[in-house]
Amino acid sequence: MPDIVALGEPLVEFNQARSADPAAYLQGFGGDTSNMAIAAARLGASVGYVTRLGADRFGRMFLELWSREGVDASAVKVDAEAATGVYFVAHGPNGHEFSYLRAGSAASRLRPSDLDEGALRAAKVVHASGISQAISSSACDTVFAAFELARGNEAVVTYDPNVRRQLWPMARAKAIAQATVALCTWCLPSQDDANVLFAGVAPDGVVDALHRAGARGVVLKRGAEGCIVSDGTRRERIPAHAVKCVDATGAGDCFDGAFAARLVAGDDPFAAARYANVAAALATTGYGAVAPLPRAADVTRALTAA
C-alpha cells in the first residue's frame, strides 16, 4: 500500500511556448494533486493517486504518465461517460493566464464510493486540495470522506486550500476551507490563498487564524519570501532559495509533495519544510507543471550548495 495517497483532478496541460508563434502550445500535464503525487514520487516516496479519468486518449496518457513516474494508479476509475479535463496556460504581462475545459469532467464525478478504504487506512499521509473540493459537490464529499478515514487511522492529513475564484462562490470556498482545516494535520496555503481567505491579515496572523480553525500545523508558502512553518508551539521563517524563475506553475504543488515525502521519510516538519522550500524553487526553473519537478539528487545538491 502507498505511504502517501492524494486525490483530486488531473488535467492535461497546454502551455504557451516561448516562440514567435503565439498559437504554439506545448502539451504537458497538470492538476494540483497529480503534480503533488508526481513530485513526491520523484523524491523517493511511495505514492498512490485517486481520481476518475475519461475513457479517452488524454486519460490513457495520464495512466502512462503515472506508470512512468512510479505513482500507483490502481485506485483510479475510468469513466466512459465523461472526458478528461484540459487547461491552457498563456503568459502575459501580468503573469500566468489560465483557461480551463473541465466542466463535467470525469474527475468532477469522483464520489466517496470510489475510495479504496484499505489504502486510505494504510496510508501515512493523505492529501487533497480546495480544487479537489471545488470541482463538484460529490468530489467535495469524497475529500471529507477520505480525510475522516485517514484521521481514523491517525494518518497525517495535508490540505492545500488552493483557492480558485472561478471555480465556486467565495462564500462557499471559505466555508469549505474552514471546515476542512479543522480536519487537517498540516494546512499548506499559499500567500495568494491567505490574501483571499484572510484579506488584510499579516502573515503571522494568518498562521494564528489557521491554528484557531483547527490545523495542528501550518506552512504558509510565500513564494519569493520563503515560507513560515508553525507546529503550534514553534514557529520558523525559512528564506527563499534563490533561483532564476522562469515558470512558477506547479511550484506550490511541488512543495506539498516534497513536504509529505520528507515527513514519511522521518524528517521533522521544519526540516521537511526546508527541503520542500528548495524543491519548489527548483520546480520554477523550467516550463510546465510536471517536467521541471526535481529529483531527490537535485534537491540534495541544491541544499548542499546553499
Side-chain angles (χ1 to χ4, degrees):
M1 294 288 187
D3 288 334
I4 299 170
V5 175
L7 62 152
E9 178 194 38
L11 293 164
V12 171
E13 174 189 85
F14 290 93
N15 205 314
Q16 189 175 36
R18 302 299 178 117
S19 69
D21 181 2
Y25 283 77
L26 301 174
Q27 187 269 310
F29 299 94
D32 60 345
T33 54
S34 175
N35 300 338
M36 178 272 186
I38 293 170
R42 285 193 180 183
L43 296 171
S46 166
V47 188
Y49 195 61
V50 179
T51 191
R52 294 177 76 90
L53 294 170
D56 49 33
R57 175 57 185 152
F58 288 159
R60 293 191 294 274
M61 288 166 61
F62 263 112
L63 292 173
E64 292 163 3
L65 170 71
W66 294 324
S67 178
R68 290 195 305 271
E69 296 289 349
V71 175
D72 183 345
S74 60
V76 172
K77 309 294 185 183
V78 176
D79 191 328
E81 299 178 357
T84 305
V86 176
Y87 76 108
F88 297 83
V89 186
H91 303 279
N94 297 318
H96 299 91
E97 298 174 7
F98 294 90
S99 300
Y100 295 91
L101 298 174
R102 72 191 335 163
S105 71
S108 73
R109 293 156 62 95
L110 191 64
R111 50 186 181 261
S113 60
D114 291 326
L115 295 174
D116 181 336
E117 293 192 12
L120 286 166
R121 293 187 189 281
K124 297 177 181 176
V125 176
V126 175
H127 178 80
S129 78
I131 293 177
S132 308
Q133 297 170 306
I135 53 176
S136 70
S137 294
S138 66
C140 187
D141 291 344
T142 305
V143 171
F144 280 119
F147 281 3
E148 290 290 0
L149 283 168
R151 283 163 52 87
N153 196 47
E154 298 186 351
V156 171
V157 172
T158 59
Y159 175 61
D160 187 334
N162 216 347
V163 180
R164 292 292 183 268
R165 290 179 179 272
Q166 67 271 36
L167 282 179
W168 51 355
M170 279 301 95
R172 177 169 167 77
K174 291 178 181 179
I176 294 296
Q178 183 170 0
T180 312
V181 167
L183 300 177
C184 71
T185 316
W186 284 93
C187 187
L188 308 171
S190 68
Q191 186 63 55
D192 287 343
D193 296 331
N195 292 342
V196 174
L197 298 173
F198 305 98
V201 178
D204 278 308
V206 170
V207 174
D208 292 339
L210 288 168
H211 280 309
R212 287 195 298 272
R216 280 183 269 168
V218 178
V219 181
L220 179 58
K221 300 173 291 187
R222 306 190 66 221
E225 300 298 319
C227 63
I228 300 173
V229 188
S230 172
D231 65 2
T233 302
R234 171 183 166 193
R235 188 168 300 192
E236 182 176 333
R237 282 171 166 75
I238 298 174
H241 179 74
V243 295
K244 183 178 179 180
C245 174
V246 298
D247 183 3
T249 304
D253 311 329
C254 179
F255 187 106
D256 297 348
F259 184 72
R262 293 315 305 169
L263 289 180
V264 166
D267 284 1
D268 70 62
F270 298 91
R274 285 191 289 273
Y275 184 98
N277 202 47
V278 172
L282 295 177
T284 71
T285 61
Y287 294 107
V290 170
L293 293 172
R295 307 282 178 178
D298 303 322
V299 183
T300 299
R301 193 160 43 244
L303 281 165
T304 302

